[in-house]
Amino acid sequence: MRVFRIFILMILIVLGNFSFAQNNKEIDSLIGSANAFLFKNPEKTIEIGKDILKKKDISDSYKISSYILISNGYSGLSNYQKAIEFALKANELSEKAKDNANQIRTLGLIGNLYIRIEMRDEAWHYLDKADKLSQSVSLPDSMKYLIGNINLLKGFLYKRSLDCGYAIKHFNKAIAEFQKDKGNGFAVANLGQAYNQKGYCYLKIDKDSAQVSFEKGLADARKNGAKSLECNALIGLSEIKNSKSDFKISNEILFSALPLSKEVNQIEMESRIYKLLAENYIGLDDFENHLKYQNLFDSIQSKFSEEEIKTVNELIKKRNEFKQKTYESKQKNYKILIWILLGILLISILISSYFLVIKSRKINKNIKNKIS
């Protein structure tokens, strides 16, 4: 669950934190400032986004970026109802402006938000829509990373559904797009992620392919100083060695990953390292070290259990709240529509009755004239 949240948050950032150059230094500076506040003060991000929207004569693209800032701010506050509301506004405006890049970007953002509240059907809907649009329009190479992001998210969803065959296809598409512009920071940020996710998919079906993917992810992470991704790739490689009963080499890899997990404060990865070390020492008949690392794993896991239960309950609560609000909103709109239709029907009846009365009077008048 924790790795899932970290992964989704990383994609969310890449989908959201972007401003198309529009030669307005003041607004560009505000957007940069709002992005910097996203983690430490999301309320400030929302405030800046709303302030930008109040400015006169700003372009549609800046409005879209502002809506996305506000959406990300609400997401940071776990207010997904509002986050999706502003992401939808961004998407509607990008569609109206016929801005293909921003349409793909915002559709991916909406899909990502639905993933975060475990509403996978809705997530699939928006990601499929983004995928179809990306195949029907032409994007400049500098924007192709958006296609990579969509495929990375779809691959992750397939992986979560235990369909690694389809997941790997999407990870390969993502990697191909990210590699087209290695100078693009957004592509670089997710290339190592795609290699690692692909590696974990291969782990149970093709160890050799998994190793190739993890090694590429490791090289990419080290090249770009992405210590979290480096740690994740090392853990994957250690699992391969563990599966081949090469316990000593597996331990060597894990001990090189352990300080990285602590440095980047990835407690879940640290837990996985302790678990694998405990398993390896059983294979080496070293029960003293097995107990040492098993106890470390159990200690962290007990904390996780409480946190995971709390997190799952919060997700269920948020999802149910969102569904309830969506249902209530639809019911309200339905009632309004019914009243409008009834109003139209009533007006139609009145108009028809009026003309029938007029016509009846004319007929009666004609009859009277003929009699007289």
Side-chain angles (χ1 to χ4, degrees):
M1 178 67 74
R2 183 180 287 264
V3 169
F4 164 65
R5 294 202 306 272
I6 292 168
F7 172 81
I8 292 301
L9 184 58
M10 288 177 69
I11 305 296
L12 179 67
I13 295 164
V14 174
L15 281 166
N17 291 357
F18 189 78
S19 173
F20 296 103
Q22 296 163 69
N23 300 318
N24 191 320
K25 292 183 179 179
E26 180 192 358
I27 297 180
D28 286 339
S29 177
L30 285 170
I31 290 173
S33 175
N35 284 328
F37 280 114
L38 188 57
F39 291 106
K40 56 186 178 182
N41 190 354
E43 291 96 341
K44 188 67 177 175
T45 298
I46 295 168
E47 181 186 329
I48 294 172
K50 289 182 176 179
D51 286 342
I52 295 172
L53 287 173
K54 292 175 185 176
K55 292 183 178 295
K56 294 180 180 179
D57 302 322
I58 64 170
S59 67
D60 286 339
S61 190
Y62 274 133
K63 288 180 182 177
I64 292 165
S65 292
S66 299
Y67 284 136
I68 290 172
L69 282 174
I70 297 167
S71 174
N72 281 342
Y74 279 120
S75 177
L77 295 172
S78 296
N79 187 340
Y80 296 111
Q81 175 78 14
K82 282 286 187 182
I84 291 172
E85 177 187 327
F86 279 93
L88 286 168
K89 286 183 179 182
N91 179 250
E92 288 168 8
L93 183 54
S94 65
E95 191 172 344
K96 183 179 177 181
K98 296 182 180 179
D99 185 337
N100 294 327
N102 263 325
Q103 280 188 68
I104 295 169
R105 175 189 177 202
T106 53
L107 286 168
L109 177 60
I110 296 165
N112 199 328
L113 287 166
Y114 275 116
I115 291 174
R116 295 190 72 185
I117 53 175
E118 293 287 350
M119 293 179 69
R120 296 189 195 180
D121 289 343
E122 288 80 1
W124 279 120
H125 170 74
Y126 285 99
L127 292 177
D128 281 339
K129 195 172 179 181
D131 199 9
K132 288 175 183 176
L133 180 60
S134 71
Q135 294 176 38
S136 64
V137 300
S138 178
L139 290 174
D141 286 344
S142 61
M143 301 295 173
K144 292 287 179 70
Y145 78 90
L146 291 170
I147 302 172
N149 286 346
I150 300 302
N151 279 289
L152 186 51
L153 280 169
K154 291 188 77 171
F156 189 69
L157 271 176
Y158 275 119
K159 179 172 172 281
R160 294 270 290 173
S161 303
L162 303 179
D163 193 342
C164 268
Y166 279 105
I168 288 167
K169 289 180 182 178
H170 283 286
F171 289 141
N172 284 335
K173 288 180 182 179
I175 290 166
E177 294 300 338
F178 293 146
Q179 286 180 328
K180 287 179 181 178
D181 189 2
K182 293 183 179 180
N184 187 309
F186 301 104
V188 169
N190 278 328
L191 180 57
Q193 185 73 264
Y195 279 131
N196 284 349
Q197 292 297 319
K198 178 181 171 183
Y200 280 108
C201 249
Y202 267 128
L203 203 55
K204 294 181 180 179
I205 54 178
D206 186 343
K207 296 290 191 300
D208 291 337
S209 294
Q211 181 162 340
V212 169
S213 195
F214 282 130
E215 286 173 351
K216 288 181 178 179
L218 180 62
D220 184 80
R222 285 175 172 169
K223 178 183 175 183
N224 297 298
K227 293 183 179 180
S228 178
L229 295 179
E230 180 182 352
C231 182
N232 205 16
L234 286 169
I235 292 171
L237 289 169
S238 74
E239 288 193 34
I240 293 172
K241 294 299 181 182
N242 170 280
S243 69
K244 295 179 178 179
S245 299
D246 199 344
F247 303 120
K248 286 185 178 180
I249 299 298
S250 179
N251 278 353
E252 288 175 12
I253 296 171
L254 290 169
F255 282 124
S256 67
L258 186 58
L260 289 172
S261 69
K262 293 181 178 181
E263 185 177 348
V264 295
N265 197 29
Q266 293 288 343
I267 301 174
E268 195 276 341
M269 290 186 188
E270 185 180 345
S271 173
R272 286 165 62 199
I273 290 169
Y274 291 145
K275 183 175 184 292
L276 282 166
L277 284 169
E279 289 178 6
N280 286 341
Y281 278 117
I282 279 285
L284 292 168
D285 294 328
D286 186 340
F287 296 104
E288 183 179 347
N289 275 315
H290 162 73
L291 287 174
K292 174 184 175 181
Y293 289 105
Q294 184 65 43
N295 288 336
L296 285 168
F297 170 73
D298 290 339
S299 175
I300 293 178
Q301 206 61 27
S302 63
K303 295 176 184 177
F304 274 165
S305 296
E306 294 177 6
E307 185 182 336
E308 292 299 304
I309 291 170
K310 183 180 177 182
T311 300
V312 169
N313 287 337
E314 285 177 355
L315 279 173
I316 292 171
K317 183 181 177 182
K318 292 288 182 185
R319 182 183 61 189
N320 291 341
E321 284 176 357
F322 184 84
K323 285 186 174 181
Q324 181 63 29
K325 287 178 181 178
T326 303
Y327 173 77
E328 288 173 359
S329 177
K330 286 181 178 178
Q331 286 294 104
K332 184 179 178 181
N333 291 337
Y334 178 74
K335 287 178 181 178
I336 291 171
L337 180 61
I338 292 295
W339 281 112
I340 290 171
L341 291 174
L342 286 172
I344 293 170
L345 180 61
L346 181 60
I347 291 169
S348 298
I349 291 170
L350 289 172
I351 291 171
S352 298
S353 298
Y354 172 78
F355 283 112
L356 283 171
V357 169
I358 295 295
K359 189 174 181 180
S360 177
R361 285 177 179 176
K362 284 183 179 180
I363 292 171
N364 289 334
K365 187 177 180 180
N366 288 335
I367 292 171
K368 287 179 180 180
N369 289 336
K370 286 181 179 180
I371 293 172
S372 61

